[in-house]
Amino acid sequence: MTIEIELYDYYRSSASYRVRIALELKNRSYQKIPINLKTGGQHELSYRTINAQGLVPALIIGPKVLTQSLAILEYLEEVYPDPPLLPRNPFERAEVRSIAQIIACDIHPLNNLRVLNYLKHEASIEEQQVSDWYQHWVHEGFLAIEQKFLTSAGKYSYGSDITFADICLMPQVYNAKRFSCDLSPYPTLTRVAENLSLLPAFTRSHPDFN
Ligand SMILES: N[C@@H](CCC(=O)N[C@@H](CS)C(=O)NCC(=O)O)C(=O)O
């Protein structure tokens, strides 16, 4: 029996974009349910009953709900192991997770919509300073990733196989470009992102096609 999968999603949400890429790579068909973050759909009671945090994504698998994109990636990896998105070797798996977490735990949460909105509307910080804030945290994270890529990167973030690191990298690069971050100090990261952008699973999950 095939389990029905639904994804509460916003096309420009990088956390949702991660899950879209993973579902494509795992060849899973799924139904998208759009939540418009621009008009506050994430705060509606009907959505809060699905994700109490009021954040996308939320994955519906049969009768169950799963939130948090990294937890969703881990779940998909365990349930649909083919193709693998983590290396077999435990140390290498941890290294891949380490790159993914630089993005998902140390860049993205500081630059999330609700954080930028808080800075603008509650802390009354000027537009330019909010933009500087965004770029600062991308720069800190990308600098560390560029350094790690000197030893880890091949065609992709970790050698020549697609991993969680790539799934997290692509949406963050898309977002950084939207916020006019200068990517010239990160040539390896940029090269990896260009390679990823050529893959059908990454093209199909890109915000322009969602
Ligand atoms: N750690 C969460 C982050 C989820 C998250 O922050 N989602 C953003 C979009 S990328 C969101 O829903 N933002 C709505 C808001 O900030 O109001 C995950 O990885 O799923």
Side-chain angles (χ1 to χ4, degrees):
M1 194 185 82
T2 11
I3 305 171
E4 284 215 9
I5 302 179
E6 292 174 322
L7 177 66
Y8 284 86
D9 169 84
Y10 181 62
Y11 75 116
R12 273 184 166 165
S13 148
S14 40
S16 304
Y17 187 179
R18 289 174 203 149
V19 176
R20 293 199 301 266
I21 297 170
L23 287 167
E24 290 287 347
L25 288 167
K26 298 282 186 189
N27 280 315
R28 293 293 117 194
S29 59
Y30 66 100
Q31 184 100 34
K32 270 182 301 197
I33 306 172
I35 296 294
N36 190 336
L37 300 186
K38 260 196 154 166
T39 55
Q42 71 274 37
H43 304 304
E44 281 174 22
L45 192 60
S46 56
Y47 185 62
R48 289 265 178 183
T49 57
I50 290 157
N51 184 353
Q53 282 193 289
L55 300 171
V56 288
L59 192 75
I60 312 295
I61 318 121
K64 299 194 178 112
V65 182
L66 199 53
T67 63
Q68 287 292 342
S69 61
L70 290 189
I72 294 171
L73 296 192
E74 295 283 352
Y75 169 81
L76 293 174
E77 181 69 3
E78 286 186 30
V79 177
Y80 308 110
D82 196 29
L85 299 175
L86 286 170
R88 289 177 68 90
N89 173 287
F91 183 79
E92 293 178 358
R93 291 164 84 84
E95 277 199 308
V96 165
R97 290 185 173 113
S98 159
I99 298 167
Q101 288 174 24
I102 291 177
I103 296 163
C105 306
D106 294 337
I107 302 177
H108 178 265
L110 289 161
N111 284 344
N112 192 5
L113 179 65
R114 61 183 178 172
V115 171
L116 302 184
N117 278 344
Y118 185 91
L119 292 176
K120 275 184 226 161
H121 305 305
E122 309 297 322
S124 304
I125 290 172
E126 297 286 326
E127 196 82 35
Q128 184 55 50
Q129 284 174 294
V130 174
S131 166
D132 292 348
W133 164 283
Y134 181 96
Q135 296 189 3
H136 173 78
W137 296 115
V138 167
H139 175 67
E140 287 280 307
F142 277 9
L143 212 55
I145 291 174
E146 183 67 19
Q147 183 71 25
K148 272 188 178 274
F149 274 10
L150 293 179
T151 50
S152 83
K155 191 168 182 188
Y156 305 122
S157 301
Y158 201 82
S160 54
D161 293 323
I162 309 289
T163 64
F164 284 10
D166 300 303
I167 292 175
C168 290
L169 180 71
M170 199 59 190
Q172 188 60 64
V173 168
Y174 166 80
N175 227 350
K177 286 183 181 162
R178 258 186 78 213
F179 282 80
S180 309
C181 294
D182 173 17
L183 298 186
S184 62
Y186 325 111
T188 317
L189 182 154
T190 309
R191 176 180 60 74
V192 167
E194 275 165 14
N195 291 339
L196 292 168
S197 72
L198 303 175
L199 302 172
F202 285 75
T203 315
R204 283 197 293 269
S205 42
H206 191 280
D208 288 355
F209 300 97
N210 283 275

